[in-house]
Amino acid sequence: MPRSTPETFYEVMRRQGITRRSFLKFCSLTATALGLAPSFAGKIAHAMETKPRTPVIWLHGLECTCCSESFIRSAHPLVSDVVLSMISLDYDDVLMASAGHQAESILSEIKEKYKGNYILAVEGNPPLNQDGMSCIVGGRPFVEQLKEMAADCKAIVSWGSCASWGCVQAARPNPTRATPVDKVILDKPIIKVPGCPPIAEVMTGVLTYMLTFERIPPLDRQGRPAMFYGQRIHDKCYRRPHFDAGQFVESWDDEAARKGYCLYKMGCKGPTTYNACSTVRWNNGVSFPIQSGHGCIGCSEDGFWDKGSFYQHVTNVHAFGIEANADKVGLAAVGVVGAAIGGHAAYSAYTAIKKHPETMENRTDSSAGDQQ
Amino acid sequence: MSTTTEDLLRERRRAGIPKTRRTAVYVYQAPLRVWHWVNALSITVLAITGWFIANPPPSVMGEASDHYVMGYIRFFHFAAAYVFAVGFLFRIYWAFAGNRYAMQLFTLPVWRRSFWRELWHEVRWYAFQEKEPWKYYGHNPLAHLFMVVIITVGGLVMMVTGFALYSEQAGAGSWQDRLFGWVIPLVGQSQDVRLWHHWGMWVIVVFVMLHVYTAIREDVMSRQSLISTMISGWRMFKDDRP
Ligand code: HEM
Ligand code: HEM
Ligand code: SF4
Ligand code: SF4
């Protein structure tokens, strides 16, 4: 399927039946989603009209495919259409028409033809135990396909918490040793787009940015695009005034829950989770978990499965094989130390009296003197 | 056990303790004493407000704009945090500017045999195995050990994790973020930083319990003054034996 003469994005879209009007709409929508000035809509349009298309290869490892599911539900159907037409053309074993060896041959073709010039999008992650046998693609361990395709790519996009951090398959005790992409591929720029799944608009936004500007979006310390992961859910949550006021839901069906108070006491992880849910929201911006009355479970954070209950704010730690809540251990320690202090003080007083009986005598009334 | 030069030095030091009854030595200078009580107050405020940040008080009803409960709790936590941090920086300065006892909080003479002997003696004293404790101008070695580990190291951990958490609300590019933002990926993620910060509170609370108890106990039972020393600066000895 790859063409012999390099096409521009715009040509590809037109060929896919997208009108110019829709194309321009897409450009301005994307500029907005990326937090760019309106003037950037024109720049995106210009880039798409003139630049040769950068192919995107979308690999699937150990995963649940929720990232793909999210992606094809991008807010504006247009956005997904456009971006999909840019992507599914090449290789995505879930979305493309071809299958089997025909599909696998596309990979090697692109690898050669666009050497150092294609973007590798990875959904899921490679399991490394048992020689990677827990995830087989085209008869080979996925980790081999990943390494092979990564060798000649320009950059890697790690879709979702699986590719970014490991997610559920890497949760304790991680029997297959599912490993995030950046721990396997060490020599390529990697853009992490965590979330379980990531928000569709975030996914299309990141891809469009990379395809049109031909560079990696500004990343934060942990390799996430700063425009979408720069703030916590808590920083932009519409229930934040209730947090500051001290108005909390105390149980699921109380008056406070009906009034839409803050879910902090129900274990909301908004204060420790970096994602765009509280601004971009989900399903065409209809809602997001907190808006529907459930706390954030921190799905875009590293190891969120292993941080104890989703309904508890002070989380568990795994120390010496036991799971304990910091407050329970802390209170127990205070109790034990308090009792020890009491006992120690009592015994100290006893020894002091034994050592200096006269002290006792001086301090008590005359009847105590008889004991001398 | 053979006598080492350290032992001889210790004997000399002991011999140097004035023999007259009710001798007093000026140990803690005024700035250090002020720091001690300001620091004690800020840690108390930090532990109480910290507890309420993790376990907020019962929900209040009515308009959100009528209340600012969490806002105030957090404000006092951060205000006390800045007092604690500035105090800590001052205390480092004072370690150099003050007298020799001012350095104790930042040095632990683990290389000295006498330190370990005195430490062991102090442990036995608390375990009721010694008739009486030895005398010290500065801290006794057990208190010294705990203070360095919990106030100096523990205080640093609380500040580093605390300012890392602060950087999350101050935002990318803030000075808190530039100075302490690296802590978050180092520890794991935001929730882990919170957890360590939270554990730190319990460690410090237990220390304060022990510290206050031993300060009172030793004031009564040892051969020297303690609490009044941290108020007036003078270490009073109750007897004139070495
Ligand atoms: C949050 C509470 C407290 C903290 C964190 C704390 C911390 C400290 C520290 C770090 C020192 C060493 C000073 C230095 O060498 O720079 C010290 C000494 C001392 N503190 Fe506290 N303190 C607290 C509360 C108290 C209280 C409530 C008392 C009294 C009942 C007390 C009594 C003393 C005494 C007597 C000393 C001197 C020990 C000696 O003479 O060797 N402290 N404290
Ligand atoms: C001895 C010193 C301190 C103690 C005992 C203490 C205690 C605590 C506790 C228990 C929490 C709640 C954690 C949780 O939610 O599980 C907390 C939160 C926090 N502390 Fe501290 N802390 C101390 C020092 C500091 C310092 C020096 C800073 C620096 C600015 C700081 C900044 C914070 C921040 C930003 C939070 C999170 C508040 C929020 O997200 O609402 N703390 N602290
Ligand atoms: S619901 Fe969660 S994210 Fe929103 S203000 Fe409360 S704690 Fe923060
Ligand atoms: S609100 Fe939290 S748990 Fe829910 S999707 Fe967003 S980041 Fe994930």
Side-chain angles (χ1 to χ4, degrees), chain A residues 273 275 277 282 289 296-300:
Chain A
T273 303
N275 207 339
C277 306
W282 288 83
C296 167
I297 62 172
C299 76
S300 53

Side-chain angles (χ1 to χ4, degrees), chain A residues 18-299:
Chain A
I18 289 162
T19 63
R20 178 152 183 88
R21 190 185 156 79
S22 298
F23 165 72
L24 291 176
K25 249 184 176 171
F26 163 77
C27 293
S28 47
L29 260 173
T30 306
T32 315
L34 291 169
L36 300 172
S39 59
F40 273 88
K43 287 191 187 162
I44 294 179
H46 182 72
M48 292 210 141
E49 280 165 352
T50 51
K51 288 213 176 98
R53 186 179 67 92
T54 311
V56 178
I57 300 218
W58 188 310
L59 297 184
H60 294 259
L62 213 54
E63 66 177 51
C64 75
T65 317
C66 77
C67 298
S68 296
E69 289 288 344
S70 174
F71 188 75
I72 58 176
R73 280 163 186 74
S74 199
H76 207 286
L78 190 63
V79 179
S80 56
D81 275 1
V82 169
V83 183
L84 266 182
S85 63
M86 293 164 13
I87 291 165
S88 62
L89 280 171
D90 299 315
Y91 181 92
D92 179 327
D93 43 19
V94 171
L95 296 174
M96 66 189 174
S98 52
H101 291 297
Q102 185 198 1
E104 299 308 311
S105 67
I106 297 173
L107 283 184
S108 41
E109 248 182 82
I110 292 184
K111 190 171 139 78
E112 248 166 62
K113 195 163 159 205
Y114 293 93
K115 197 173 165 76
N117 225 353
Y118 59 92
I119 291 171
L120 190 65
V122 185
E123 186 177 347
N125 56 31
L128 302 183
N129 273 357
Q130 298 99 33
D131 300 323
M133 299 300 263
S134 305
C135 184
I136 300 288
V137 178
R140 290 185 310 153
F142 171 61
V143 61
E144 284 180 19
Q145 187 190 40
L146 174 64
K147 281 184 178 159
E148 223 169 85
M149 292 311 293
D152 290 326
C153 76
K154 191 154 98 183
I156 296 179
V157 181
S158 282
W159 285 142
S161 293
C162 299
S164 300
W165 314 121
C167 209
V168 67
Q169 60 274 45
R172 230 171 283 271
N174 191 0
T176 65
R177 198 145 73 87
T179 309
V181 173
D182 65 328
K183 300 269 162 61
V184 177
I185 309 298
L186 304 170
D187 56 350
K188 293 284 171 181
I190 294 180
I191 299 101
K192 291 178 178 168
V193 189
C196 190
I199 304 171
E201 286 68 34
V202 170
M203 301 175 80
T204 47
V206 168
L207 268 190
T208 310
Y209 187 101
M210 292 176 65
L211 295 175
T212 51
F213 295 113
E214 285 188 291
R215 65 181 131 92
I216 289 168
L219 303 179
D220 69 3
R221 268 193 202 82
Q222 315 202 42
R224 303 171 295 199
M227 64 265 260
F228 295 114
Y229 296 89
Q231 276 183 311
R232 301 169 300 169
I233 304 287
H234 189 60
D235 294 317
K236 288 280 176 68
C237 178
Y238 79 109
R239 296 194 185 204
R240 182 63 189 263
H242 292 301
F243 173 87
D244 289 332
Q247 299 183 309
F248 301 102
V249 177
E250 310 265 356
S251 70
W252 288 121
D253 47 4
D254 66 0
E255 184 59 24
R258 277 187 288 281
K259 286 193 168 144
Y261 286 179
C262 167
L263 294 156
Y264 189 71
K265 285 192 181 180
M266 303 311 291
C268 179
K269 300 291 189 300
T272 54
T273 303
Y274 289 80
N275 207 339
C277 306
S278 47
T279 42
V280 178
R281 308 190 185 204
W282 288 83
N283 301 322
N284 301 347
V286 168
S287 183
F288 75 115
I290 290 166
Q291 195 173 340
S292 63
H294 191 287
C296 167
I297 62 172
C299 76

Side-chain angles (χ1 to χ4, degrees), chain B residues 69-180:
Chain B
V69 177
M70 279 307 266
Y72 288 126
I73 291 174
R74 292 172 67 249
F75 172 79
F76 282 113
H77 193 78
F78 306 146
Y82 276 106
V83 170
F84 180 75
V86 171
F88 196 89
L89 291 179
F90 165 77
R91 188 63 185 76
I92 293 174
Y93 158 75
W94 193 253
F96 297 99
N99 63 18
R100 58 210 196 89
Y101 306 105
M103 200 36 123
Q104 278 198 298
L105 197 53
F106 302 97
T107 46
L108 202 57
V110 286
W111 58 89
R112 240 178 247 156
R113 179 92 78 82
S114 63
F115 170 78
W116 295 104
R117 281 193 50 189
E118 290 172 354
L119 182 70
W120 182 235
H121 184 89
E122 200 64 25
V123 170
R124 285 176 53 83
W125 158 244
Y126 280 109
F128 307 103
Q129 302 301 309
E130 295 288 343
K131 280 220 179 56
E132 55 177 25
W134 287 337
K135 290 172 166 179
Y136 304 95
Y137 288 149
H139 300 307
N140 81 55
L142 193 60
H144 192 180
L145 178 69
F146 269 85
M147 277 167 193
V148 169
V149 171
I150 300 194
I151 297 299
T152 312
V153 179
L156 265 176
V157 168
M158 291 311 277
M159 279 189 291
V160 168
T161 54
F163 277 109
L165 288 175
Y166 200 92
S167 77
E168 302 196 289
Q169 62 207 32
S174 61
W175 68 262
Q176 291 92 344
D177 176 57
R178 272 178 278 138
L179 284 180
F180 298 100

